[in-house]
Amino acid sequence: MNVLMNPHQLVHMKVRWRSTSEWLLTAIYGAPQVARRQMLWHKLNDISFDVTGGSGVIGDFNSTLSPLKVLD
């Protein structure tokens, strides 16, 4: 494992296991505050331009696609 960057809320690394090809892994822990998560989304967007091979993203984004509806 070789850490490429480690800004707040993520660790972006190059991984190789034994004789396999290298691939990129990004581990996320998104801030619970919406305003602080914006920095995370911008950094992920920047990283995406450099991805040309295998990659994975894991973690907790602390974000939802849409709010839950409460049914009576």
Side-chain angles (χ1 to χ4, degrees):
M1 177 180 72
N2 179 25
V3 174
L4 302 174
M5 71 172 62
N6 186 14
H8 190 67
Q9 303 184 75
L10 69 88
V11 178
H12 183 60
M13 60 200 97
K14 195 176 282 190
V15 178
R16 179 189 299 255
W17 178 252
R18 297 185 180 171
S19 62
T20 64
S21 298
E22 287 184 334
W23 55 283
L24 299 172
L25 176 65
T26 305
I28 306 290
Y29 181 74
Q33 301 84 11
V34 174
R36 292 183 61 207
R37 272 199 315 270
Q38 291 302 314
M39 291 181 280
L40 170 63
W41 291 111
H42 288 296
K43 188 56 73 176
L44 288 172
N45 188 51
D46 292 344
I47 289 170
S48 72
F49 290 110
D50 295 328
V51 175
T52 57
S55 66
V57 179
I58 60 171
D60 183 355
F61 287 83
N62 271 316
S63 186
T64 58
L65 291 174
S66 63
L68 292 175
K69 285 186 171 182
V70 177
L71 301 175
D72 293 326

